[in-house]
Amino acid sequence: LCEVHNASGTATIKINGATPEILIDNGSLKTKLQTAFAELSSSTEVATIIQNEITLTSNLGVLNAKMAKTVNGGLFEARNTSGTLRVNIDGSDSPFVEVRDGTDKATHSPASFQIQALAGTIYVRAAKLSGGGYVEVRNTSGVTKVAMDANTGGEPYVEIVGTDTVRHQGLTATTASAGAQTLPSNPVGFLVIVVNGTTRKVPFYAA
């Protein structure tokens, strides 16, 4: 054991061959170095380096940030003062970035983006599929209500699911300059839409 003291007789550097470790202490900051381990601490925070991981914690032991090398790649976590995960970055072969608040999270990966509750219910999802881009919007129960599919290999579509109404908020006209067209006498049914706040019915006919 070897110690170096300051003018007041306080040991500011300690070298311990049994541990082995080196401890540097200036009264407000402490640095501890061991084989594959290093620690820097103050009265409020502790930074730790251990092999493939760096962590930042409060003096109460609450983890605030972590950067690590895992078997799948690099990982970074940022947490609030209570230690709750807020940002998660994963650099594996299936990389993603995840941002959270107290109830929901947004996750972005190379081929998709989604917003969902922490409990698992997905509200918005956008993805790159084999046929092209796809977007869906769901209600609070996770049921898809609006879907848009570019479907480059087939027919692209926009779908309103269930009993919800298609709404149009924009320009309308009461006349047109196109030529007249005789329509069948009996429509098969009517599309119900809301045009500028007023419910309208648009007839459709058998093919």
Side-chain angles (χ1 to χ4, degrees):
L1 176 67
C2 176
E3 295 184 354
V4 179
H5 295 245
N6 60 16
S8 301
T10 302
T12 56
I13 300 175
K14 296 180 180 180
I15 302 175
N16 189 336
T19 312
E21 69 178 21
I22 299 175
L23 177 65
I24 303 173
D25 185 357
N26 68 0
S28 59
L29 290 175
K30 295 181 181 180
T31 302
K32 182 187 292 186
L33 303 174
Q34 293 180 349
T35 303
F37 175 88
E39 182 179 273
L40 175 64
S41 61
S42 68
S43 59
T44 56
E45 290 91 20
V46 179
T48 305
I49 302 174
I50 177 170
Q51 293 181 335
N52 297 324
E53 182 178 294
I54 300 175
T55 60
L56 301 176
T57 61
S58 71
N59 61 337
L60 299 177
V62 177
L63 177 64
N64 297 134
K66 180 172 77 170
M67 182 169 61
K69 178 186 179 299
T70 68
V71 293
N72 296 318
L75 174 71
F76 174 78
E77 295 180 0
R79 301 171 180 258
N80 63 13
T81 54
S82 300
T84 303
L85 182 64
R86 292 305 194 205
V87 179
N88 188 16
I89 302 175
D90 190 320
S92 65
D93 290 337
S94 300
F96 66 87
V97 177
E98 181 181 88
V99 181
R100 302 183 173 204
D101 62 12
T103 56
D104 304 309
K105 66 179 180 179
T107 305
H108 177 59
S109 67
S112 69
F113 173 81
Q114 67 184 33
I115 299 173
Q116 68 184 103
L118 294 180
T121 302
I122 297 175
Y123 302 129
V124 179
R125 184 169 75 95
K128 176 185 178 296
L129 306 179
S130 58
Y134 177 80
V135 177
E136 62 180 273
V137 182
R138 306 182 182 187
N139 63 14
T140 53
S141 298
V143 178
T144 300
K145 307 303 286 185
V146 180
M148 294 179 287
D149 193 338
N151 199 13
T152 54
E155 293 293 333
Y157 64 85
V158 176
E159 181 180 24
I160 308 295
V161 182
T163 59
D164 297 306
T165 304
V166 177
R167 298 178 182 272
H168 170 79
Q169 195 72 26
L171 295 177
T172 61
T174 57
T175 61
S177 59
Q181 177 67 44
T182 301
L183 298 176
S185 58
N186 296 315
V188 175
F190 297 86
L191 296 175
V192 180
I193 67 173
V194 176
V195 180
N196 294 336
T198 302
T199 300
R200 304 294 189 187
K201 295 182 178 180
V202 180
F204 57 89
Y205 301 88

